[in-house]
Amino acid sequence: MRGRTKKQASMLAFVDPETLIPSDHPLRTIKGFADAALMELSPLFDEMYAADGQGRASIPPERLLKASLLISLYSVRSERAFCEELTYHLLFRWFLDMDLLEPSFDHSTFSKNRARLLRHRVSREFFDAVVLQADRLHLLSDEHFSVDGTLIEAAASLKSFRPKDEPPPPKRPDGGSPSNRWVDFHHEKRSNTTHHSTTDRDARLYRKGPGKEARLSYMGQALMENRHGLLVDFQVTTATGTAERDVVPQLIDAARQRGFHPRTLGADKGYDTRDFVQTLRAQGVTPHVAQNTSGRSSAIDGRTTHASGYDASQKVRRRIEEIFGWIKTVGGLRRTRYCGLERVDFAGYLVATAYNLVRLARLATLATAV
């Protein structure tokens, strides 16, 4: 018999979102890890809002952080689009512990609360809390790590890259934005010393190599442990020719502050410079760096390349490219939506947290299957 669409809506229905989400849905495991990490940050949230004892209660910071995870996990294009989806997306509401009658919050909630979250470095604390959970499950290597950097395109047009001493542009007669104008860059020498972006002062003009297009960019610096390929740090810096090497001592020191004991560090041939290798050895870390023999002598000698573990480090370090692939295609960090180094770094830690949670959920599933 042919089924017919019922035009009359149900007058009364009792729906528990918990019963509608499949028991084996991967977001269940991710939610468990995220909730446990946010529970550890509860004292920090109490401190953040201690001065606001009166007035209307804010959107819970846990909800905003979990919403940021969903934006990365499901490649939502913007915070405004996420808030629109939250109105009818049952899975999102379940993940954020919202009932079906609770209205979606406005997209401006993200920007209004971001300053407070930035001031207390909440995204990094959240990232560290997730890393700590992985460490408690004995999933992290304590001694062997890999490092690499990747370009993150800034939210600024090349039209905004103007001379530093140039006066503000005049108003356009058609009423359009004065910054959106036709510009002829031919025969004009532009560099970061003489020009800057009027849209994002922290962005730098950078190109990946000879013949490549120069773009306004930031640089993401990833430190990965070698056992299961989890991130233990992800910092965003300005894009310079030496930024990848300059930030490594800070990454090593930060890893030690978290309780790790780095002994080896795998890296590609871009890190093969004498100063970098000497600095790394001075920190007590063996540089498992790929040799750069193109036209010059390598700083990595035979005592390193013939040591046990060097070949293994060179194989494992390539896994970091998978991380960059995920955070750019799925996580949405190929081109940042934010202006300013502080905000881009804040967003970078949230995307890195989302990646670690996906990886943790996968590892937990494999452990259960075994």
Side-chain angles (χ1 to χ4, degrees):
M1 183 176 67
R2 175 186 173 187
R4 301 285 181 176
T5 302
K6 294 182 179 180
K7 301 295 184 181
Q8 172 115 20
S10 300
M11 298 295 295
L12 186 64
F14 296 95
V15 180
D16 183 6
E18 183 68 29
T19 62
L20 301 179
I21 309 301
S23 59
D24 58 348
H25 197 286
L27 209 58
R28 283 190 175 275
T29 307
I30 291 175
K31 185 177 187 294
F33 283 120
D35 287 341
L38 291 170
M39 183 67 68
E40 296 188 11
L41 298 184
S42 184
L44 174 61
F45 298 146
D46 292 337
E47 178 186 343
M48 288 168 52
Y49 291 88
D52 300 337
Q54 299 178 350
R56 188 178 64 175
S58 69
I59 299 294
E62 297 92 338
R63 184 167 291 175
L64 291 176
L65 292 171
K66 289 168 71 175
S68 298
L69 292 179
L70 288 173
I71 290 174
S72 295
L73 292 171
Y74 285 88
S75 306
V76 183
R77 70 179 185 274
S78 67
E79 293 163 353
R80 182 188 293 269
F82 173 81
C83 291
E84 292 176 358
E85 284 195 45
L86 188 59
T87 304
Y88 54 81
H89 204 305
L90 184 62
L91 184 65
F92 286 5
R93 285 180 167 270
W94 167 81
F95 190 79
L96 299 183
D97 300 310
M98 297 175 63
D99 59 45
L100 298 181
L101 299 179
E102 190 173 354
S104 173
F105 48 84
D106 190 78
H107 67 90
S108 62
T109 305
F110 286 96
S111 56
K112 289 179 180 178
N113 286 270
R114 189 169 291 116
R116 193 194 305 264
L117 298 174
L118 280 168
R119 189 164 55 250
H120 293 269
R121 306 192 66 175
V122 172
S123 64
R124 178 165 183 171
E125 295 293 335
F126 188 22
F127 175 85
D128 287 343
V130 172
V131 172
L132 182 60
Q133 289 189 73
D135 191 36
R136 289 171 178 167
L137 294 174
H138 307 290
L139 296 175
L140 303 181
S141 172
D142 185 58
E143 299 177 333
H144 307 292
F145 300 87
S146 298
V147 69
D148 204 356
T150 187
L151 285 181
I152 300 171
E153 188 176 346
S157 168
L158 283 176
K159 291 183 180 181
S160 70
F161 198 63
R162 309 300 302 163
K164 294 181 179 180
D165 56 355
E166 183 181 68
K171 293 184 178 180
R172 286 174 44 176
D174 59 358
S177 173
S179 60
N180 187 20
R181 51 189 173 176
W182 291 104
V183 182
D184 185 3
F185 294 123
H186 290 289
H187 309 296
E188 179 185 350
K189 293 184 178 180
R190 294 177 297 165
S191 70
N192 291 316
T193 57
T194 59
H195 291 58
H196 65 182
S197 170
T198 56
T199 304
D200 187 352
R201 298 297 178 90
D202 292 331
R204 296 291 182 270
L205 195 65
Y206 192 90
R207 62 178 181 178
K208 298 180 67 174
K212 300 290 185 179
E213 178 186 1
R215 296 181 178 181
L216 290 169
S217 306
Y218 289 93
M219 189 164 285
Q221 317 285 355
L223 183 66
M224 179 192 75
E225 58 82 32
N226 286 358
R227 180 175 297 171
H228 287 109
L230 287 159
L231 283 169
V232 295
D233 206 347
F234 186 81
Q235 297 184 21
V236 177
T237 65
T238 54
T240 67
T242 61
E244 290 182 278
R245 297 187 295 272
D246 293 343
V247 77
V248 171
Q250 302 173 27
L251 294 175
I252 296 298
D253 290 339
R256 287 194 170 120
Q257 290 174 7
R258 292 184 175 100
F260 296 103
H261 304 86
R263 287 182 52 198
T264 67
L265 184 71
D268 61 32
K269 63 182 181 180
Y271 294 82
D272 184 11
T273 65
R274 206 160 300 280
D275 291 340
F276 174 78
V277 170
Q278 291 176 354
T279 301
L280 210 57
R281 292 190 186 278
Q283 289 186 292
V285 179
T286 301
H288 283 180
V289 177
Q291 289 182 302
N292 184 5
T293 57
S294 56
R296 62 179 178 85
S297 60
S298 172
I300 304 298
D301 52 24
R303 62 174 178 168
T304 300
T305 58
H306 291 94
S308 59
Y310 177 82
D311 291 338
S313 291
Q314 283 299 299
K315 290 180 181 179
V316 173
R317 71 164 179 82
R318 297 182 178 90
R319 190 183 296 172
I320 207 167
E321 298 296 340
E322 300 176 11
I323 298 177
F324 291 154
W326 191 94
I327 67 175
K328 287 188 175 185
T329 57
V330 180
L333 205 60
R334 182 191 65 81
R335 187 177 192 270
T336 180
R337 295 188 290 265
Y338 307 98
C339 292
L341 178 60
E342 188 179 28
R343 284 177 171 79
V344 179
D345 186 57
F346 178 87
Y349 270 115
L350 289 176
V351 176
T353 302
Y355 172 82
N356 273 351
L357 287 170
V358 171
R359 189 82 180 113
L360 272 175
R362 176 63 175 166
L363 292 171
T365 302
L366 293 175
T368 303
V370 172

